[in-house]
Amino acid sequence: MLEEIKGLIKEAEQFSAKNIDEIEKFRIKFLGKKGEITKLFSEFRNIPAEQKKDFGQTINTLKNIVIEKITSLKNNLEDTQQQQVSLDLSMSGDNIELGTRHPISIVKNEITDIFSRVGFIVSEGPEIEDDWHVFSGLNFPKEHPARDMQDTFFIEKDPDILLRTHTSSVQVRVMETQKPPIRTILPGRVFRNEAISARAHCIFHQVEGLYIDENVSFADLKQTLLYFAREMFGKDTKIRLRPSYFPFTEPSAEMDVTCKICGGKGCNVCKYTGWLEVLGCGMVDPNVLESNNIDSEKYTGFAFGMGVERLAMLKYQINDLRLYFENDVRFLRQFKAAF
Ligand code: PHE
């Protein structure tokens, strides 16, 4: 009897399997309800008393060997399966996720590109500014509401240090360091103390332009802006200038373009007027030129400024400004940049 068990031990030790079915057959053969080990245990009562101990121990040894064998065979099988997966050369690789530019960057780059094609160069300035560059140097009267705490984020008072409310501050910085002719475009981030909603935000982006030379006229301004509108919104675009007011330009105007969504017929985007307001502009006020040491008898100039968020809203028909700042990749992935 013992010899028979030893034979089974040998068999179990030498057993190897190519797949899980073979392991399962092996398990049933030894550990199954009608398997070898059950059979051996049922022989137990026929064994003479003095051999019982030996007999029992040997069956247990066999049982342990079988269990260990099954576990190690299963582990080996899993390992080789994993190796096979990692060596599958026909598997396609992981896609490399390409980022996209933010719609604000795309539109800002498009605007600066349009103006750089007619000789405007980019100038930049600081976001934290003093009163002179944001207000006083631009002919803002002392009591002007834009200086009010409600519009401006002040960092310090007397002397005032603040976050710029428009990129016109860079106009002043250019005028104090450069002599005319000046032809520059001023993109940047600006800050206003406004409640955040679908149409307003406390942080947004502007692109302004400044052109100062001898004999610059309102006709030059108009033609430059018509060129811009056609490049930006399509060659059939028409522009309309409405009188307006800015402390630093005189005369001042706001420019509308024909609504490209309805083609001027009227829709809910243009509020059924056929026109969309896109920027503010005007001839640089002689006071501004003088306070920046530019001879206003010799030189004249024009300036304009637009909100990048607003233009991007019109271009992409985005109806909520807050989407720009939420970093939702489902929104951001939709924009493909040419710039
Ligand atoms: N700075 C003005 C604004 O923030 C825009 C503007 C710029 C208007 C230049 C006229 C000329 O609203």
Side-chain angles (χ1 to χ4, degrees):
M1 202 67 199
L2 268 179
E3 283 311 302
E4 196 186 316
I5 306 175
K6 281 186 185 145
L8 288 170
I9 289 180
K10 217 174 190 173
E11 185 185 336
E13 276 172 348
Q14 285 170 357
F15 178 75
S16 71
K18 282 197 243 27
N19 53 43
I20 193 83
D21 287 347
E22 286 181 14
I23 298 176
E24 183 60 9
K25 272 189 197 140
F26 174 76
R27 189 191 67 81
I28 294 169
K29 175 174 178 191
F30 283 91
L31 302 175
K33 263 191 205 142
K34 291 176 189 158
E36 300 289 351
I37 288 171
T38 322
K39 263 194 257 165
L40 286 170
F41 274 122
S42 65
E43 297 285 331
F44 208 72
R45 59 195 151 82
N46 304 328
I47 302 293
E50 71 278 10
Q51 287 175 23
K52 272 199 171 29
K53 191 175 163 209
D54 230 9
F55 183 78
Q57 274 174 355
T58 325
I59 302 180
N60 273 331
T61 313
L62 170 66
K63 193 175 168 185
N64 289 338
I65 287 172
V66 170
I67 293 173
E68 262 172 43
K69 190 80 189 182
I70 293 174
T71 340
S72 84
L73 283 175
K74 276 191 178 161
N75 285 345
N76 283 351
L77 208 65
E78 272 169 25
D79 283 354
T80 47
Q81 269 169 356
Q82 264 164 16
Q83 271 168 17
Q84 275 167 0
V85 169
S86 61
L87 282 174
D88 183 355
L89 299 178
S90 65
M91 244 168 82
S92 55
D94 289 342
N95 284 338
I96 298 169
E97 286 259 3
L98 275 187
T100 53
R101 270 196 217 288
H102 195 281
I104 297 300
S105 299
I106 297 174
V107 172
K108 186 194 77 183
N109 292 349
E110 194 174 347
I111 299 167
T112 47
D113 183 75
I114 291 171
F115 283 105
S116 68
R117 292 206 289 271
V118 286
F120 285 77
I121 57 157
V122 173
S123 309
E124 286 178 333
E127 291 174 354
I128 300 175
E129 272 289 10
D130 50 26
D131 175 89
W132 172 258
H133 290 95
V134 178
F135 297 127
S136 301
L138 287 160
N139 200 35
F140 273 81
K142 267 272 168 260
E143 68 285 1
H144 195 281
R147 292 170 177 245
D148 202 290
M149 291 291 276
Q150 259 135 46
D151 285 310
T152 308
F153 287 113
F154 286 95
I155 296 170
E156 273 170 37
K157 274 290 204 183
D158 291 325
D160 289 352
I161 303 294
L162 44 101
L163 297 179
R164 64 181 180 193
T165 55
H166 52 186
T167 47
S168 307
S169 54
V170 191
Q171 292 190 28
V172 179
R173 292 197 173 265
V174 169
M175 284 187 274
E176 66 194 8
T177 53
Q178 293 173 31
K179 298 250 154 304
I182 291 170
R183 203 184 313 178
T184 185
I185 197 93
L186 322 156
R189 191 158 55 152
V190 300
F191 307 85
R192 285 184 200 176
N193 195 356
E194 288 188 31
I196 296 171
S197 72
R199 316 217 124 244
H201 208 287
C202 55
I203 303 173
F204 56 101
H205 299 76
Q206 289 187 326
V207 178
E208 295 207 359
L210 178 68
Y211 186 19
I212 302 172
D213 203 349
E214 290 176 37
N215 303 318
V216 176
S217 71
F218 201 89
D220 296 323
L221 169 63
K222 216 171 136 183
Q223 200 58 35
T224 307
L225 293 179
L226 178 63
Y227 155 77
F228 165 71
R230 286 182 172 166
E231 292 293 310
M232 187 78 196
F233 296 106
K235 53 179 183 331
D236 301 329
T237 310
K238 293 190 183 70
I239 63 167
R240 171 172 95 167
L241 291 168
R242 283 179 290 103
S244 184
Y245 172 77
F246 299 103
F248 37 93
T249 47
E250 182 59 37
S252 304
E254 268 164 59
M255 184 177 94
D256 299 340
V257 295
T258 38
C259 177
K260 71 165 199 165
I261 293 151
C262 61
K265 285 194 203 76
C267 68
N268 60 356
V269 177
C270 62
K271 301 199 188 82
Y272 300 95
T273 60
W275 295 93
L276 295 166
E277 185 191 320
V278 289
L279 57 80
C281 59
M283 301 306 290
V284 180
D285 193 302
N287 285 343
V288 173
L289 295 175
E290 290 299 330
S291 51
N292 289 289
N293 296 322
I294 293 173
D295 183 356
S296 64
E297 296 293 325
K298 188 169 176 201
Y299 294 108
T300 47
F302 65 71
F304 55 86
M306 62 194 96
V308 182
E309 276 77 1
R310 181 166 167 74
L311 259 69
M313 278 175 121
L314 299 176
K315 183 180 168 82
Y316 296 116
Q317 295 178 36
I318 297 164
N319 57 12
D320 193 327
L321 200 70
R322 288 166 293 197
L323 286 166
Y324 293 130
F325 299 94
E326 282 167 358
N327 281 339
D328 185 335
V329 286
R330 292 169 304 179
F331 171 72
L332 296 173
R333 271 206 198 108
Q334 299 173 72
F335 304 96
K336 294 271 174 294
F339 293 90

